Amino acid sequence: MANTKQITVEQTGSAIGRPERQRKTLLGLGLTRIGRKRQLEDTPAVRGMIAKVAHLVKIVGEK
């Protein structure tokens, strides 16, 4: 899958005190603590997950 677009996401906000749905979305993205970055495949599903927790993450880069 070297030809697929990649997106780098960084967690900027804490999951403490957030609804369970948002905590599980962060875990689904592979983010467990502030400052953690993950490189993910740029798919509609991943974009939707990022949109659900947009106030807790930021997109750092796209390839």
Side-chain angles (χ1 to χ4, degrees), residues 46-61:
V46 170
R47 287 285 184 165
M49 292 171 74
I50 292 170
K52 290 289 183 186
V53 291
H55 56 293
L56 301 175
V57 299
K58 69 177 178 180
I59 296 174
V60 182

Side-chain angles (χ1 to χ4, degrees), residues 5-20:
K5 286 184 66 175
Q6 296 287 311
I7 188 167
T8 305
V9 181
E10 179 180 2
Q11 184 174 348
T12 57
S14 174
I16 296 172
R18 301 292 177 183
E20 184 71 20

Side-chain angles (χ1 to χ4, degrees), residues 11-27 31-34 53 55-56:
Q11 184 174 348
T12 57
S14 174
I16 296 172
R18 301 292 177 183
E20 184 71 20
R21 187 173 183 176
Q22 291 178 8
R23 288 193 301 244
K24 286 183 178 181
T25 301
L26 286 173
L27 287 176
L31 301 171
T32 55
R33 55 181 71 182
I34 295 174
V53 291
H55 56 293
L56 301 175

